[in-house]
């Protein structure tokens, strides 16, 4: 029941936009997004609850399509600091069956 | 707040040796987790705990044991180390309120383990 992430990897130039998708075959209660820089621990970005809520801070935002059981992470006007691996994590029921996706490696070049 | 602390940061084990990875959190979180991350790969859940005295298996529990005697501590025990257990181990904690979604997970800095 691990969620599927796409693409596996993406390379951008500074200022370009990117979208990372996370989908599940199970009905989801929430989707979490994390970013991990090389050699560091994952860091929390945001949580989306079922209901199609969209969230964002700075130039990173995300949406959750409950009908499709899919979440998308939007990175606009990318900066060098956005480089890293992005993981989604899905929760099927309150506090249960939380599992991370395989990750999407994002590289932002000058 | 120190957050989530892990010791040691690095360790080299010989095949067949045993060791305990320590994890402590000072945020009074009820949920705690152990993940392993192989090079270039994602996070695999080993064990998790929803509170003191309660633990459960994750995706890859074989070769590991855990205990949770206090809210703060969640040690991971490796018995009879094997080369396949070479990995980076992350401990994490989060809050959970029944009837609501999991809160964000706070990760420790990780323990890099090599078994040779």
């Amino acid at each position: 029941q691990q969620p599927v992430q796409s693409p596996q990897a993406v390379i951008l130039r500074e200022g370009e936009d990117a979208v990372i998708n996370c989908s599940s075959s199970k009905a989801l209660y929430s989707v979490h997004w994390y970013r991990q820089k090389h050699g560091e621990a994952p860091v929390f970005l945001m949580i989306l609850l079922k209901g199609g809520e969209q969230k964002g801070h700075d130039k990173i935002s995300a949406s959750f399509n409950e009908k499709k059981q899919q979440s998308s992470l939007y990175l606009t006007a990318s900066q060098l600091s956005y480089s890293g691996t992005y993981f989604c994590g899905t929760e099927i029921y309150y506090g249960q069956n939380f599992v991370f996706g395989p990750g999407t490696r994002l590289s932002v070049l000058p | 707040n120190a957050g989530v602390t892990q010791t040691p940061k690095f360790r080299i084990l010989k095949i067949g040796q045993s060791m305990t990875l320590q994890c402590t959190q000072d945020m009074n979180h009820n949920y705690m987790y152990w993940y392993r991350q192989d090079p270039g790969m994602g996070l695999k859940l080993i064990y998790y705990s929803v509170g003191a005295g309660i633990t459960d298996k994750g995706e890859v529990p074989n070769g590991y044991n855990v205990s949770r005697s206090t809210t703060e501590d969640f040690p991971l025990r490796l018995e009879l180390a094997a080369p396949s257990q070479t990995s980076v181990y992350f401990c994490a904690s989060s809050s959970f309120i029944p009837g609501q979604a999991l809160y964000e997970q706070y990760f420790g800095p990780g323990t890099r383990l090599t078994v040779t």
Side-chain angles (χ1 to χ4, degrees):
Chain A
Q1 62 196 44
Q2 183 184 43
V4 176
Q5 286 187 237
S6 63
Q8 286 184 313
V10 59
I11 300 174
L12 299 174
R13 294 283 182 186
E14 262 188 303
E16 292 181 338
D17 302 340
V19 179
I20 300 171
N21 297 307
C22 173
S23 61
S24 174
S25 59
K26 303 278 188 180
L28 300 175
Y29 184 68
S30 73
V31 179
H32 301 212
W33 286 98
Y34 289 78
R35 177 171 62 204
Q36 183 180 30
K37 293 185 178 289
H38 183 69
E40 299 180 6
V43 174
F44 171 78
L45 293 175
M46 64 189 77
I47 294 175
L48 298 104
L49 303 180
K50 70 175 183 178
E53 180 180 357
Q54 182 151 356
K55 281 195 170 183
H57 59 86
D58 198 10
K59 294 174 182 173
I60 300 176
S61 62
S63 64
F64 180 20
N65 186 321
E66 190 179 347
K67 288 184 180 178
K68 293 184 178 180
Q69 301 306 322
Q70 177 176 304
S71 177
S72 296
L73 185 71
Y74 307 95
L75 300 100
T76 58
S78 58
Q79 306 167 16
L80 295 176
S81 61
Y82 286 4
S83 292
T85 300
Y86 289 79
F87 294 98
C88 69
T90 56
E91 180 185 15
I92 292 178
Y93 193 65
Y94 307 121
Q96 296 181 21
N97 304 109
F98 184 86
V99 61
F100 280 102
T104 295
R105 185 174 300 217
L106 178 74
S107 300
V108 181
L109 306 178
Chain B
N1 276 359
V4 180
T5 57
Q6 291 183 238
T7 55
K9 291 186 179 178
F10 303 93
R11 183 72 187 268
I12 298 174
L13 280 181
K14 293 190 184 300
I15 295 172
Q17 288 185 324
S18 301
M19 75 165 293
T20 298
L21 281 65
Q22 301 292 343
C23 175
T24 300
Q25 54 96 5
D26 62 0
M27 296 171 283
N28 201 34
H29 287 167
N30 46 358
Y31 274 44
M32 294 188 75
Y33 314 80
W34 273 106
Y35 295 94
R36 61 174 288 173
Q37 186 175 38
D38 298 336
M41 304 297 283
L43 297 152
K44 295 292 185 183
L45 182 64
I46 305 172
Y47 272 94
Y48 68 100
S49 169
V50 301
I54 307 171
T55 62
D56 207 349
K57 297 178 181 178
E59 304 167 74
V60 289
N62 291 344
Y64 307 94
N65 277 300
V66 294
S67 60
R68 181 109 181 260
S69 57
T70 66
T71 298
E72 296 78 18
D73 300 308
F74 190 41
L76 177 71
R77 178 81 177 163
L78 278 73
E79 304 282 1
L80 298 175
S84 61
Q85 292 178 304
T86 294
S87 191
V88 178
Y89 291 83
F90 289 105
C91 178
S93 71
S94 69
S95 282
F96 174 68
I97 299 173
Q100 298 185 20
L102 274 171
Y103 284 71
E104 65 183 277
Q105 292 185 38
Y106 291 80
F107 283 80
T111 294
R112 190 175 297 272
L113 177 68
T114 302
V115 182
T116 61

